[in-house]
Each structure stands twice: as C-alpha cells, then as structure tokens.
Amino acid sequence: MEALVVIPTYNERDNIAGVVGALLALPADLGVLVVDDNSPDGTGGIVDEIAAREPRVHVMHRAGKLGLGTAYIAGFKWALASTDARYVFEMDADFSHDPAAVPRFLDRIRDADLVIGSRYVEGVTVVNWPLSRLILSVSANIYTRIVTGMPLHDATGGFKCFRREVLAALPLDRIRSDGYSFQIEMNFHAWKRGFRIVEMPIVFTDRLVGASKMSRRIIWEAVIMVWKLRFASLRRRIP
C-alpha cells in the first residue's frame, strides 16, 4: 500500500464505520489501522467485523484506555514493522478530520516530509467550536510557537501525514505524552532533525456524535511539555 491511516479509538461506535468506509472509498492506495483501547461501547468489535471482509482494514486491540499518544506510537511502530507504506497518517475517528482531505495530503507530501493539516495557517478554519475552546487552542499554539521557536501556526493539530523515513528517524520509544503535547512533541522532534514540514489548510469540524476526550490534565501536560522540549534542546539532548 502507498499509505496507512492510523486511527485511535475509544467509544467511537457511532463514527468509526462511517470514517473507515469513507477512507476506503477514496481513489487512493491506502489501508486503515484502528487502535482501539478496549472501548466499552464495542467499537473494536465493529472494526473486527469490517476487517473480516476488507483486507485493507486492520485492528489493534489494547487492554484499556492507555492514552492517545501511546495509541499513535503503537500504530506507527506497527506501520513500520508490518507494512511497506510510504506514508503514514494520523487522524481522528469522529469526522472532525474530513477523510476527503486525504488525497490533498498525498499531493503535498510529494515535496515534504511531514504535512500538518492546519486550522490556523489561513485564518481560522474551525466549525462548531465554542469560543472558549477556540481561544484555548489558538492561545496554546501561540504559546508553543513562542516557547519552542517552531515556525508552525498549528502545532497541536492531529490530522497529519508522515513520510515513513520521518517516523523511522524519530525517538518513538522516548515519546510519552498525550493529547496536545503529543502532537507538539512529534512536530518538535521532526523540526529539530531538519525534516521539511508543510502546513496545509483544512476545515476542522467539531464532532457531532460522542464526547470530547479533552481534559485539564491534557492541557497542563502541554503547558509543561513545551518547556521540557526547549530545555532539552538547549542541553542538546534533542538534535
């Protein structure tokens, strides 16, 4: 396959079949890996049923709710070890990331190493978020840019496409963060290693079904993480 889309899930039974179906319908040579954290609502079982009839769909069942960051890391390692995919995506399961944008990512990755779907590179392209959530997100990205020096408008976005070589070069075993901070940490490591990062405008639409996984812990983890990255870079623990 040319590309693999990694989708972490926890209680996404109302969305996952639609997202997977939309991805498989695209005119692209891609597969899907769903990393399910033992969803109580049976999300993993739904994907098992899809995988039984569709060889491009794969499922990784984990023991419990272990976090977004570790789900992506597990998915990335599986992609590197078990596929020959040239490109690896990360995206949400709730349609906040539009599957129809995937071909645009594949066009842009030809001249880049990492393509980030950006909500802020051309103004603000967010739909249905409350003002408080939007202010939090915009502020977090400004804060991240100032502290780390990364020239990114949307360092916290989770709709991304990596070249295989980027994931192979990053210290996946040392990345422990979740949520916002996971995205920041991955971007920072790629940036410090000199990979070409491109921000591509996307429209982000807040989920219509299910509950957000955002929490105060995730927010504070990101606040602290940017300083850890800066100090590690100053001490040359990050290239």
Side-chain angles (χ1 to χ4, degrees), residues 119-120 124-126 129-140:
R119 299 161 291 182
Y120 308 122
V124 176
T125 52
V126 175
W129 258 5
L131 182 59
S132 59
R133 180 74 182 273
L134 181 60
I135 291 173
L136 172 64
S137 179
V138 171
S139 300

Side-chain angles (χ1 to χ4, degrees), residues 133 136 180 212-221:
R133 180 74 182 273
L136 172 64
Y180 279 157
S212 171
K213 312 301 191 299
M214 180 58 63
S215 67
R216 289 185 179 181
R217 182 191 65 80
I218 289 174
I219 294 169
W220 280 108
E221 182 185 45

Side-chain angles (χ1 to χ4, degrees), residues 20 32 44-59:
V20 171
V32 178
I46 292 172
V47 185
D48 281 334
E49 293 175 3
I50 298 171
R53 60 179 184 270
E54 174 50 71
R56 290 186 292 162
V57 177
H58 310 273
V59 193

Side-chain angles (χ1 to χ4, degrees), residues 4-10 12 16 19 23 32-37 60 62 64 66-81 88-97 156-162 167 170-173 175-184 186 204 213:
L4 179 75
V5 182
V6 179
I7 305 175
T9 55
Y10 186 78
E12 295 288 357
I16 191 60
V19 168
L23 288 168
V32 178
L33 170 65
V34 174
V35 183
D36 185 67
D37 275 5
M60 180 183 298
R62 303 207 302 168
L66 303 177
L68 180 74
T70 60
Y72 274 130
I73 295 298
F76 294 158
K77 288 182 175 180
W78 187 91
L80 293 174
V88 180
F89 283 82
E90 59 170 84
M91 68 178 291
D92 292 345
D94 59 6
F95 281 104
S96 57
H97 299 150
T156 61
F159 196 4
K160 296 152 74 169
C161 180
F162 297 86
L167 292 179
L170 298 187
L172 298 181
D173 287 331
I175 294 175
R176 304 291 185 187
S177 50
D178 271 326
Y180 279 157
S181 56
F182 172 76
Q183 306 300 349
I184 294 167
M186 290 288 288
F204 178 94
K213 312 301 191 299

